[in-house]
Amino acid sequence: MPPLTLRMHDHDNVAIVANEGGLPTGTVLPSGLVLREKVPQGHKVSLVAIAEGAAVCRYGVPIGFAAEPIAAGRWVHERLLRMPEAGALEGLPMATAPKSPGAPLEGFTFEGFRNADGSVGTRNLLAITTTVQCVAGVVEHAVKRIRAELLPKYPHVDDVVALEHGYGCGVAIDAPDAVIPIRTLRHISLNPNFGGEVMVVSLGCEKLAPTRLLPPGSIPVRDEREPGLDVVVLQDEAGFGPMLERICERAEHHLQRLDARRRETVPASELVVGVQCGGSDAFSGVTANPAVGFCTDLIVRAGGTVLFSETTEVRDAVAQLTARAATREVAEAIVREMAWYDAYLQRGRVDRSANTTPGNKAGGLSNIVEKAMGSVVKSGSAPISAVLAPGEKLKPGQKGLVYAATPASDFICGTLQLAAGMNLHVFTTGRGTPYGLAEAPVVKVATRSELARRWHDLMDLDAGRIAEGQATVEDLGWELFRLLLATASGQRTWAEKHRLHNALVLFNPAPVT
Ligand code: CA
């Protein structure tokens, strides 16, 4: 391939090198610019001379200021950049620029499982809610037995999933911030992919008692003869064997009901897609994330819901987000969530720059500002219609583009998006991660073709074709949209085929005891 560099915006004074393996010293770019040193793939080259203290621009915004004079044709790495301060949370444009992402899209459907509460599942799973980590070992045994002995009798049920976590006891459960892990667990139990069948395994003496986790009225009554919560309490059983017997007996009760369900044709407006990235590189903001952003607009135009998250990765784009808010109240909620997170980080004596990883930097991302500008494009161009605090669930009728505030940690973000009501997950990666969830299908999009080729049995879509000029962002966006509808209808992702499942990880900003 001839030397290829990618520049994102007319104001940019750097571009990134697209060629696999990077470009050696002395390479002559099509513009005539000669590289003064080797520039690795995904890393930045200065297009003009940049004075000390001047802004280094990518995506049309300053991602840093030159720490020394930078000649044209140099490798612009993180040591040459001073990071800008985070933008102030005062004086922001509030709901000044919400714009339509385009005409409504009609006629797109998928085959989903309709639930009594109006939501739609993309999978038909039996979930076993646990109140505390103490029960995890027993529940793991029970799940193995259910899978081996019961599931073959119920072919319309896709799988059984234990909602295992580290919370429930040994925690300051009355601390104000404990509301976050508790409502997260509650809302995950009610995820659309579990069909409204809630069964709980409790130890018996834990702080997070079943009725505290799922108080009366928090779950719909499925059967008038059994109005209460379905709970197995391990301390009430006569040993390990009877515990397993009891869990399997309750599981079979729910499996019978789940097995009676069938997929039916539903409009694409029933999609609730959580988007996030992990193991990002400099291509994330060039290929995969813009394709996801285009797809986000398609889903919103079809009447569906997209959750975007990862507070530290959108913090530097706060002015763009508040401007795109549909109403002033939504803009204020965005500011409230950012301020809460700033204070949370401050308590731990760090700031948003704690986000970036060694892999991000090796992949060409110099700092969190550059990472954030590439991350936020997953949200497309639609107005932001609502904001969810960590662990909150979509309210009936909340649709469109929703900012679900979460940490950027892949597992915590995925867990909180499940609580919000996500029935399908899109995950972009440049460095590569085998990430998967047991609770919802995860469609993985590679930012580079080299990764997509090497990990051909892990990546569901190759967005690297955009960098190589073989496809446009629009092409990939449509391809992803169609892939999501097929996946929602039951087509399995690579992670599902291999049963690659990461743990649920609760966000607990409150103390443990
Ligand atoms: Ca992430």
PDB file of all heavy atoms in Angstrom, residues 113-149:
ATOM      1  N   PHE A 113     -38.570 -11.412  21.392  1.00  0.00           N
ATOM      2  CA  PHE A 113     -39.486 -11.970  22.398  1.00  0.00           C
ATOM      3  C   PHE A 113     -40.187 -10.820  23.117  1.00  0.00           C
ATOM      4  O   PHE A 113     -39.535 -10.050  23.856  1.00  0.00           O
ATOM      5  CB  PHE A 113     -38.712 -12.802  23.424  1.00  0.00           C
ATOM      6  CG  PHE A 113     -38.087 -14.041  22.866  1.00  0.00           C
ATOM      7  CD1 PHE A 113     -36.742 -14.053  22.505  1.00  0.00           C
ATOM      8  CD2 PHE A 113     -38.839 -15.202  22.702  1.00  0.00           C
ATOM      9  CE1 PHE A 113     -36.153 -15.202  21.989  1.00  0.00           C
ATOM     10  CE2 PHE A 113     -38.253 -16.359  22.189  1.00  0.00           C
ATOM     11  CZ  PHE A 113     -36.904 -16.359  21.831  1.00  0.00           C
ATOM     12  N   ARG A 114     -41.480 -10.693  22.919  1.00  0.00           N
ATOM     13  CA  ARG A 114     -42.216  -9.630  23.603  1.00  0.00           C
ATOM     14  C   ARG A 114     -42.421  -9.969  25.072  1.00  0.00           C
ATOM     15  O   ARG A 114     -42.743 -11.100  25.423  1.00  0.00           O
ATOM     16  CB  ARG A 114     -43.591  -9.435  22.946  1.00  0.00           C
ATOM     17  CG  ARG A 114     -43.553  -8.497  21.772  1.00  0.00           C
ATOM     18  CD  ARG A 114     -44.877  -7.749  21.596  1.00  0.00           C
ATOM     19  NE  ARG A 114     -44.828  -6.941  20.391  1.00  0.00           N
ATOM     20  CZ  ARG A 114     -44.318  -5.716  20.338  1.00  0.00           C
ATOM     21  NH1 ARG A 114     -43.829  -5.154  21.433  1.00  0.00           N
ATOM     22  NH2 ARG A 114     -44.306  -5.054  19.201  1.00  0.00           N
ATOM     23  N   ASN A 115     -42.233  -8.975  25.934  1.00  0.00           N
ATOM     24  CA  ASN A 115     -42.402  -9.161  27.382  1.00  0.00           C
ATOM     25  C   ASN A 115     -43.669  -8.458  27.870  1.00  0.00           C
ATOM     26  O   ASN A 115     -44.153  -7.519  27.229  1.00  0.00           O
ATOM     27  CB  ASN A 115     -41.188  -8.589  28.121  1.00  0.00           C
ATOM     28  CG  ASN A 115     -39.925  -9.349  27.809  1.00  0.00           C
ATOM     29  OD1 ASN A 115     -39.923 -10.581  27.789  1.00  0.00           O
ATOM     30  ND2 ASN A 115     -38.850  -8.623  27.534  1.00  0.00           N
ATOM     31  N   ALA A 116     -44.153  -8.913  29.033  1.00  0.00           N
ATOM     32  CA  ALA A 116     -45.381  -8.350  29.597  1.00  0.00           C
ATOM     33  C   ALA A 116     -45.240  -6.860  29.897  1.00  0.00           C
ATOM     34  O   ALA A 116     -46.212  -6.102  29.828  1.00  0.00           O
ATOM     35  CB  ALA A 116     -45.755  -9.105  30.874  1.00  0.00           C
ATOM     36  N   ASP A 117     -44.015  -6.394  30.212  1.00  0.00           N
ATOM     37  CA  ASP A 117     -43.849  -4.980  30.565  1.00  0.00           C
ATOM     38  C   ASP A 117     -43.673  -4.087  29.339  1.00  0.00           C
ATOM     39  O   ASP A 117     -43.384  -2.896  29.474  1.00  0.00           O
ATOM     40  CB  ASP A 117     -42.651  -4.814  31.525  1.00  0.00           C
ATOM     41  CG  ASP A 117     -41.310  -5.114  30.858  1.00  0.00           C
ATOM     42  OD1 ASP A 117     -41.299  -5.530  29.677  1.00  0.00           O
ATOM     43  OD2 ASP A 117     -40.277  -4.929  31.520  1.00  0.00           O
ATOM     44  N   GLY A 118     -43.800  -4.667  28.125  1.00  0.00           N
ATOM     45  CA  GLY A 118     -43.698  -3.863  26.906  1.00  0.00           C
ATOM     46  C   GLY A 118     -42.326  -3.905  26.271  1.00  0.00           C
ATOM     47  O   GLY A 118     -42.161  -3.530  25.114  1.00  0.00           O
ATOM     48  N   SER A 119     -41.311  -4.367  27.022  1.00  0.00           N
ATOM     49  CA  SER A 119     -39.967  -4.449  26.446  1.00  0.00           C
ATOM     50  C   SER A 119     -39.874  -5.680  25.542  1.00  0.00           C
ATOM     51  O   SER A 119     -40.771  -6.527  25.526  1.00  0.00           O
ATOM     52  CB  SER A 119     -38.921  -4.515  27.554  1.00  0.00           C
ATOM     53  OG  SER A 119     -39.045  -5.732  28.273  1.00  0.00           O
ATOM     54  N   VAL A 120     -38.773  -5.770  24.788  1.00  0.00           N
ATOM     55  CA  VAL A 120     -38.572  -6.896  23.871  1.00  0.00           C
ATOM     56  C   VAL A 120     -37.186  -7.480  24.104  1.00  0.00           C
ATOM     57  O   VAL A 120     -36.198  -6.738  24.171  1.00  0.00           O
ATOM     58  CB  VAL A 120     -38.721  -6.437  22.400  1.00  0.00           C
ATOM     59  CG1 VAL A 120     -38.282  -7.534  21.433  1.00  0.00           C
ATOM     60  CG2 VAL A 120     -40.172  -6.036  22.112  1.00  0.00           C
ATOM     61  N   GLY A 121     -37.129  -8.795  24.238  1.00  0.00           N
ATOM     62  CA  GLY A 121     -35.845  -9.473  24.407  1.00  0.00           C
ATOM     63  C   GLY A 121     -35.286  -9.926  23.071  1.00  0.00           C
ATOM     64  O   GLY A 121     -36.041 -10.208  22.133  1.00  0.00           O
ATOM     65  N   THR A 122     -33.958 -10.030  22.986  1.00  0.00           N
ATOM     66  CA  THR A 122     -33.319 -10.594  21.798  1.00  0.00           C
ATOM     67  C   THR A 122     -32.863 -12.032  22.068  1.00  0.00           C
ATOM     68  O   THR A 122     -32.458 -12.731  21.163  1.00  0.00           O
ATOM     69  CB  THR A 122     -32.088  -9.766  21.381  1.00  0.00           C
ATOM     70  OG1 THR A 122     -31.106  -9.841  22.420  1.00  0.00           O
ATOM     71  CG2 THR A 122     -32.468  -8.310  21.128  1.00  0.00           C
ATOM     72  N   ARG A 123     -32.904 -12.424  23.343  1.00  0.00           N
ATOM     73  CA  ARG A 123     -32.581 -13.788  23.745  1.00  0.00           C
ATOM     74  C   ARG A 123     -33.600 -14.197  24.795  1.00  0.00           C
ATOM     75  O   ARG A 123     -34.215 -13.356  25.461  1.00  0.00           O
ATOM     76  CB  ARG A 123     -31.157 -13.875  24.355  1.00  0.00           C
ATOM     77  CG  ARG A 123     -30.024 -13.562  23.371  1.00  0.00           C
ATOM     78  CD  ARG A 123     -29.904 -14.608  22.270  1.00  0.00           C
ATOM     79  NE  ARG A 123     -28.818 -14.309  21.342  1.00  0.00           N
ATOM     80  CZ  ARG A 123     -28.955 -13.591  20.217  1.00  0.00           C
ATOM     81  NH1 ARG A 123     -30.126 -13.056  19.896  1.00  0.00           N
ATOM     82  NH2 ARG A 123     -27.916 -13.415  19.420  1.00  0.00           N
ATOM     83  N   ASN A 124     -33.758 -15.519  24.964  1.00  0.00           N
ATOM     84  CA  ASN A 124     -34.719 -16.068  25.919  1.00  0.00           C
ATOM     85  C   ASN A 124     -33.931 -16.810  26.997  1.00  0.00           C
ATOM     86  O   ASN A 124     -33.640 -17.990  26.875  1.00  0.00           O
ATOM     87  CB  ASN A 124     -35.678 -17.015  25.178  1.00  0.00           C
ATOM     88  CG  ASN A 124     -36.871 -17.411  26.025  1.00  0.00           C
ATOM     89  OD1 ASN A 124     -37.251 -16.696  26.952  1.00  0.00           O
ATOM     90  ND2 ASN A 124     -37.459 -18.560  25.711  1.00  0.00           N
ATOM     91  N   LEU A 125     -33.526 -16.084  28.030  1.00  0.00           N
ATOM     92  CA  LEU A 125     -32.601 -16.609  29.028  1.00  0.00           C
ATOM     93  C   LEU A 125     -33.271 -16.743  30.393  1.00  0.00           C
ATOM     94  O   LEU A 125     -34.057 -15.862  30.784  1.00  0.00           O
ATOM     95  CB  LEU A 125     -31.404 -15.660  29.179  1.00  0.00           C
ATOM     96  CG  LEU A 125     -30.552 -15.411  27.937  1.00  0.00           C
ATOM     97  CD1 LEU A 125     -29.608 -14.233  28.165  1.00  0.00           C
ATOM     98  CD2 LEU A 125     -29.761 -16.658  27.567  1.00  0.00           C
ATOM     99  N   LEU A 126     -32.927 -17.811  31.122  1.00  0.00           N
ATOM    100  CA  LEU A 126     -33.300 -17.885  32.531  1.00  0.00           C
ATOM    101  C   LEU A 126     -32.170 -17.266  33.341  1.00  0.00           C
ATOM    102  O   LEU A 126     -31.023 -17.734  33.272  1.00  0.00           O
ATOM    103  CB  LEU A 126     -33.506 -19.332  32.976  1.00  0.00           C
ATOM    104  CG  LEU A 126     -33.697 -19.503  34.497  1.00  0.00           C
ATOM    105  CD1 LEU A 126     -34.984 -18.827  34.967  1.00  0.00           C
ATOM    106  CD2 LEU A 126     -33.685 -20.970  34.904  1.00  0.00           C
ATOM    107  N   ALA A 127     -32.482 -16.201  34.070  1.00  0.00           N
ATOM    108  CA  ALA A 127     -31.471 -15.566  34.919  1.00  0.00           C
ATOM    109  C   ALA A 127     -31.753 -15.919  36.369  1.00  0.00           C
ATOM    110  O   ALA A 127     -32.896 -15.890  36.811  1.00  0.00           O
ATOM    111  CB  ALA A 127     -31.505 -14.053  34.739  1.00  0.00           C
ATOM    112  N   ILE A 128     -30.691 -16.275  37.094  1.00  0.00           N
ATOM    113  CA  ILE A 128     -30.820 -16.527  38.530  1.00  0.00           C
ATOM    114  C   ILE A 128     -30.159 -15.364  39.259  1.00  0.00           C
ATOM    115  O   ILE A 128     -28.935 -15.193  39.193  1.00  0.00           O
ATOM    116  CB  ILE A 128     -30.177 -17.865  38.926  1.00  0.00           C
ATOM    117  CG1 ILE A 128     -30.846 -19.010  38.145  1.00  0.00           C
ATOM    118  CG2 ILE A 128     -30.281 -18.089  40.436  1.00  0.00           C
ATOM    119  CD1 ILE A 128     -30.258 -20.382  38.421  1.00  0.00           C
ATOM    120  N   THR A 129     -30.996 -14.556  39.911  1.00  0.00           N
ATOM    121  CA  THR A 129     -30.493 -13.405  40.649  1.00  0.00           C
ATOM    122  C   THR A 129     -29.891 -13.876  41.967  1.00  0.00           C
ATOM    123  O   THR A 129     -30.462 -14.751  42.638  1.00  0.00           O
ATOM    124  CB  THR A 129     -31.657 -12.433  40.924  1.00  0.00           C
ATOM    125  OG1 THR A 129     -32.188 -12.013  39.672  1.00  0.00           O
ATOM    126  CG2 THR A 129     -31.192 -11.213  41.703  1.00  0.00           C
ATOM    127  N   THR A 130     -28.752 -13.327  42.340  1.00  0.00           N
ATOM    128  CA  THR A 130     -28.166 -13.654  43.642  1.00  0.00           C
ATOM    129  C   THR A 130     -28.072 -12.373  44.466  1.00  0.00           C
ATOM    130  O   THR A 130     -27.831 -11.294  43.934  1.00  0.00           O
ATOM    131  CB  THR A 130     -26.767 -14.280  43.492  1.00  0.00           C
ATOM    132  OG1 THR A 130     -25.882 -13.334  42.887  1.00  0.00           O
ATOM    133  CG2 THR A 130     -26.805 -15.530  42.629  1.00  0.00           C
ATOM    134  N   THR A 131     -28.286 -12.501  45.770  1.00  0.00           N
ATOM    135  CA  THR A 131     -28.258 -11.313  46.627  1.00  0.00           C
ATOM    136  C   THR A 131     -26.866 -11.039  47.167  1.00  0.00           C
ATOM    137  O   THR A 131     -26.597  -9.938  47.633  1.00  0.00           O
ATOM    138  CB  THR A 131     -29.194 -11.506  47.836  1.00  0.00           C
ATOM    139  OG1 THR A 131     -28.821 -12.736  48.463  1.00  0.00           O
ATOM    140  CG2 THR A 131     -30.643 -11.546  47.420  1.00  0.00           C
ATOM    141  N   VAL A 132     -25.997 -12.050  47.124  1.00  0.00           N
ATOM    142  CA  VAL A 132     -24.700 -11.914  47.804  1.00  0.00           C
ATOM    143  C   VAL A 132     -23.710 -12.919  47.212  1.00  0.00           C
ATOM    144  O   VAL A 132     -24.099 -13.989  46.731  1.00  0.00           O
ATOM    145  CB  VAL A 132     -24.888 -12.132  49.334  1.00  0.00           C
ATOM    146  CG1 VAL A 132     -25.277 -13.580  49.634  1.00  0.00           C
ATOM    147  CG2 VAL A 132     -23.660 -11.722  50.136  1.00  0.00           C
ATOM    148  N   GLN A 133     -22.426 -12.580  47.235  1.00  0.00           N
ATOM    149  CA  GLN A 133     -21.384 -13.432  46.657  1.00  0.00           C
ATOM    150  C   GLN A 133     -21.306 -14.798  47.350  1.00  0.00           C
ATOM    151  O   GLN A 133     -20.927 -15.796  46.729  1.00  0.00           O
ATOM    152  CB  GLN A 133     -20.032 -12.702  46.738  1.00  0.00           C
ATOM    153  CG  GLN A 133     -18.802 -13.492  46.375  1.00  0.00           C
ATOM    154  CD  GLN A 133     -18.779 -14.026  44.957  1.00  0.00           C
ATOM    155  OE1 GLN A 133     -18.265 -15.105  44.708  1.00  0.00           O
ATOM    156  NE2 GLN A 133     -19.339 -13.269  44.031  1.00  0.00           N
ATOM    157  N   CYS A 134     -21.720 -14.880  48.641  1.00  0.00           N
ATOM    158  CA  CYS A 134     -21.620 -16.143  49.394  1.00  0.00           C
ATOM    159  C   CYS A 134     -22.281 -17.322  48.674  1.00  0.00           C
ATOM    160  O   CYS A 134     -21.861 -18.464  48.849  1.00  0.00           O
ATOM    161  CB  CYS A 134     -22.279 -15.979  50.770  1.00  0.00           C
ATOM    162  SG  CYS A 134     -21.746 -14.513  51.643  1.00  0.00           S
ATOM    163  N   VAL A 135     -23.307 -17.074  47.864  1.00  0.00           N
ATOM    164  CA  VAL A 135     -24.054 -18.164  47.235  1.00  0.00           C
ATOM    165  C   VAL A 135     -23.463 -18.575  45.896  1.00  0.00           C
ATOM    166  O   VAL A 135     -23.932 -19.525  45.257  1.00  0.00           O
ATOM    167  CB  VAL A 135     -25.553 -17.791  47.048  1.00  0.00           C
ATOM    168  CG1 VAL A 135     -26.168 -17.350  48.375  1.00  0.00           C
ATOM    169  CG2 VAL A 135     -25.739 -16.719  45.984  1.00  0.00           C
ATOM    170  N   ALA A 136     -22.414 -17.879  45.442  1.00  0.00           N
ATOM    171  CA  ALA A 136     -21.953 -18.039  44.058  1.00  0.00           C
ATOM    172  C   ALA A 136     -21.530 -19.466  43.731  1.00  0.00           C
ATOM    173  O   ALA A 136     -21.858 -19.989  42.659  1.00  0.00           O
ATOM    174  CB  ALA A 136     -20.810 -17.071  43.770  1.00  0.00           C
ATOM    175  N   GLY A 137     -20.799 -20.116  44.655  1.00  0.00           N
ATOM    176  CA  GLY A 137     -20.316 -21.466  44.376  1.00  0.00           C
ATOM    177  C   GLY A 137     -21.452 -22.454  44.195  1.00  0.00           C
ATOM    178  O   GLY A 137     -21.444 -23.272  43.266  1.00  0.00           O
ATOM    179  N   VAL A 138     -22.441 -22.373  45.065  1.00  0.00           N
ATOM    180  CA  VAL A 138     -23.589 -23.286  44.983  1.00  0.00           C
ATOM    181  C   VAL A 138     -24.379 -23.013  43.690  1.00  0.00           C
ATOM    182  O   VAL A 138     -24.777 -23.950  42.978  1.00  0.00           O
ATOM    183  CB  VAL A 138     -24.503 -23.109  46.225  1.00  0.00           C
ATOM    184  CG1 VAL A 138     -25.809 -23.872  46.041  1.00  0.00           C
ATOM    185  CG2 VAL A 138     -23.780 -23.584  47.482  1.00  0.00           C
ATOM    186  N   VAL A 139     -24.567 -21.742  43.381  1.00  0.00           N
ATOM    187  CA  VAL A 139     -25.334 -21.406  42.175  1.00  0.00           C
ATOM    188  C   VAL A 139     -24.587 -21.877  40.922  1.00  0.00           C
ATOM    189  O   VAL A 139     -25.208 -22.352  39.963  1.00  0.00           O
ATOM    190  CB  VAL A 139     -25.637 -19.881  42.123  1.00  0.00           C
ATOM    191  CG1 VAL A 139     -26.244 -19.492  40.787  1.00  0.00           C
ATOM    192  CG2 VAL A 139     -26.586 -19.501  43.264  1.00  0.00           C
ATOM    193  N   GLU A 140     -23.268 -21.803  40.952  1.00  0.00           N
ATOM    194  CA  GLU A 140     -22.490 -22.277  39.799  1.00  0.00           C
ATOM    195  C   GLU A 140     -22.742 -23.774  39.573  1.00  0.00           C
ATOM    196  O   GLU A 140     -22.945 -24.216  38.434  1.00  0.00           O
ATOM    197  CB  GLU A 140     -20.997 -22.017  40.058  1.00  0.00           C
ATOM    198  CG  GLU A 140     -20.126 -22.302  38.852  1.00  0.00           C
ATOM    199  CD  GLU A 140     -18.632 -22.252  39.166  1.00  0.00           C
ATOM    200  OE1 GLU A 140     -18.256 -21.886  40.296  1.00  0.00           O
ATOM    201  OE2 GLU A 140     -17.846 -22.605  38.270  1.00  0.00           O
ATOM    202  N   HIS A 141     -22.745 -24.550  40.656  1.00  0.00           N
ATOM    203  CA  HIS A 141     -23.064 -25.978  40.544  1.00  0.00           C
ATOM    204  C   HIS A 141     -24.466 -26.180  39.988  1.00  0.00           C
ATOM    205  O   HIS A 141     -24.694 -27.026  39.126  1.00  0.00           O
ATOM    206  CB  HIS A 141     -22.976 -26.655  41.920  1.00  0.00           C
ATOM    207  CG  HIS A 141     -21.612 -27.163  42.243  1.00  0.00           C
ATOM    208  ND1 HIS A 141     -21.159 -28.395  41.849  1.00  0.00           N
ATOM    209  CD2 HIS A 141     -20.588 -26.576  42.911  1.00  0.00           C
ATOM    210  CE1 HIS A 141     -19.915 -28.561  42.270  1.00  0.00           C
ATOM    211  NE2 HIS A 141     -19.540 -27.464  42.917  1.00  0.00           N
ATOM    212  N   ALA A 142     -25.408 -25.394  40.512  1.00  0.00           N
ATOM    213  CA  ALA A 142     -26.804 -25.539  40.081  1.00  0.00           C
ATOM    214  C   ALA A 142     -26.941 -25.225  38.592  1.00  0.00           C
ATOM    215  O   ALA A 142     -27.646 -25.932  37.859  1.00  0.00           O
ATOM    216  CB  ALA A 142     -27.704 -24.619  40.913  1.00  0.00           C
ATOM    217  N   VAL A 143     -26.240 -24.182  38.138  1.00  0.00           N
ATOM    218  CA  VAL A 143     -26.332 -23.803  36.723  1.00  0.00           C
ATOM    219  C   VAL A 143     -25.804 -24.929  35.842  1.00  0.00           C
ATOM    220  O   VAL A 143     -26.398 -25.255  34.808  1.00  0.00           O
ATOM    221  CB  VAL A 143     -25.579 -22.472  36.471  1.00  0.00           C
ATOM    222  CG1 VAL A 143     -25.318 -22.251  34.991  1.00  0.00           C
ATOM    223  CG2 VAL A 143     -26.371 -21.306  37.052  1.00  0.00           C
ATOM    224  N   LYS A 144     -24.697 -25.557  36.270  1.00  0.00           N
ATOM    225  CA  LYS A 144     -24.146 -26.680  35.480  1.00  0.00           C
ATOM    226  C   LYS A 144     -25.180 -27.798  35.378  1.00  0.00           C
ATOM    227  O   LYS A 144     -25.374 -28.398  34.319  1.00  0.00           O
ATOM    228  CB  LYS A 144     -22.869 -27.211  36.136  1.00  0.00           C
ATOM    229  CG  LYS A 144     -21.629 -26.414  35.747  1.00  0.00           C
ATOM    230  CD  LYS A 144     -20.373 -27.094  36.307  1.00  0.00           C
ATOM    231  CE  LYS A 144     -19.200 -26.105  36.296  1.00  0.00           C
ATOM    232  NZ  LYS A 144     -18.300 -26.292  37.432  1.00  0.00           N
ATOM    233  N   ARG A 145     -25.837 -28.076  36.507  1.00  0.00           N
ATOM    234  CA  ARG A 145     -26.819 -29.162  36.490  1.00  0.00           C
ATOM    235  C   ARG A 145     -28.039 -28.789  35.637  1.00  0.00           C
ATOM    236  O   ARG A 145     -28.555 -29.622  34.881  1.00  0.00           O
ATOM    237  CB  ARG A 145     -27.259 -29.514  37.913  1.00  0.00           C
ATOM    238  CG  ARG A 145     -28.098 -30.780  37.914  1.00  0.00           C
ATOM    239  CD  ARG A 145     -28.763 -31.074  39.225  1.00  0.00           C
ATOM    240  NE  ARG A 145     -27.857 -31.673  40.200  1.00  0.00           N
ATOM    241  CZ  ARG A 145     -28.284 -32.189  41.360  1.00  0.00           C
ATOM    242  NH1 ARG A 145     -29.565 -32.183  41.669  1.00  0.00           N
ATOM    243  NH2 ARG A 145     -27.431 -32.695  42.209  1.00  0.00           N
ATOM    244  N   ILE A 146     -28.482 -27.540  35.757  1.00  0.00           N
ATOM    245  CA  ILE A 146     -29.635 -27.094  34.958  1.00  0.00           C
ATOM    246  C   ILE A 146     -29.312 -27.221  33.470  1.00  0.00           C
ATOM    247  O   ILE A 146     -30.114 -27.704  32.670  1.00  0.00           O
ATOM    248  CB  ILE A 146     -30.011 -25.636  35.316  1.00  0.00           C
ATOM    249  CG1 ILE A 146     -30.536 -25.564  36.750  1.00  0.00           C
ATOM    250  CG2 ILE A 146     -31.049 -25.080  34.334  1.00  0.00           C
ATOM    251  CD1 ILE A 146     -30.592 -24.140  37.320  1.00  0.00           C
ATOM    252  N   ARG A 147     -28.102 -26.799  33.109  1.00  0.00           N
ATOM    253  CA  ARG A 147     -27.697 -26.845  31.698  1.00  0.00           C
ATOM    254  C   ARG A 147     -27.662 -28.290  31.195  1.00  0.00           C
ATOM    255  O   ARG A 147     -28.110 -28.593  30.094  1.00  0.00           O
ATOM    256  CB  ARG A 147     -26.311 -26.207  31.568  1.00  0.00           C
ATOM    257  CG  ARG A 147     -26.133 -25.409  30.308  1.00  0.00           C
ATOM    258  CD  ARG A 147     -24.829 -24.624  30.324  1.00  0.00           C
ATOM    259  NE  ARG A 147     -25.020 -23.221  30.598  1.00  0.00           N
ATOM    260  CZ  ARG A 147     -24.141 -22.450  31.251  1.00  0.00           C
ATOM    261  NH1 ARG A 147     -23.021 -22.975  31.709  1.00  0.00           N
ATOM    262  NH2 ARG A 147     -24.396 -21.180  31.436  1.00  0.00           N
ATOM    263  N   ALA A 148     -27.144 -29.188  32.024  1.00  0.00           N
ATOM    264  CA  ALA A 148     -26.981 -30.573  31.582  1.00  0.00           C
ATOM    265  C   ALA A 148     -28.299 -31.346  31.617  1.00  0.00           C
ATOM    266  O   ALA A 148     -28.587 -32.121  30.707  1.00  0.00           O
ATOM    267  CB  ALA A 148     -25.943 -31.270  32.465  1.00  0.00           C
ATOM    268  N   GLU A 149     -29.107 -31.128  32.671  1.00  0.00           N
ATOM    269  CA  GLU A 149     -30.255 -32.009  32.889  1.00  0.00           C
ATOM    270  C   GLU A 149     -31.586 -31.392  32.494  1.00  0.00           C
ATOM    271  O   GLU A 149     -32.501 -32.108  32.102  1.00  0.00           O
ATOM    272  CB  GLU A 149     -30.309 -32.435  34.372  1.00  0.00           C
ATOM    273  CG  GLU A 149     -29.091 -33.256  34.776  1.00  0.00           C
ATOM    274  CD  GLU A 149     -29.044 -33.550  36.270  1.00  0.00           C
ATOM    275  OE1 GLU A 149     -30.078 -33.381  36.960  1.00  0.00           O
ATOM    276  OE2 GLU A 149     -27.949 -33.928  36.753  1.00  0.00           O
TER     277      GLU A 149
END
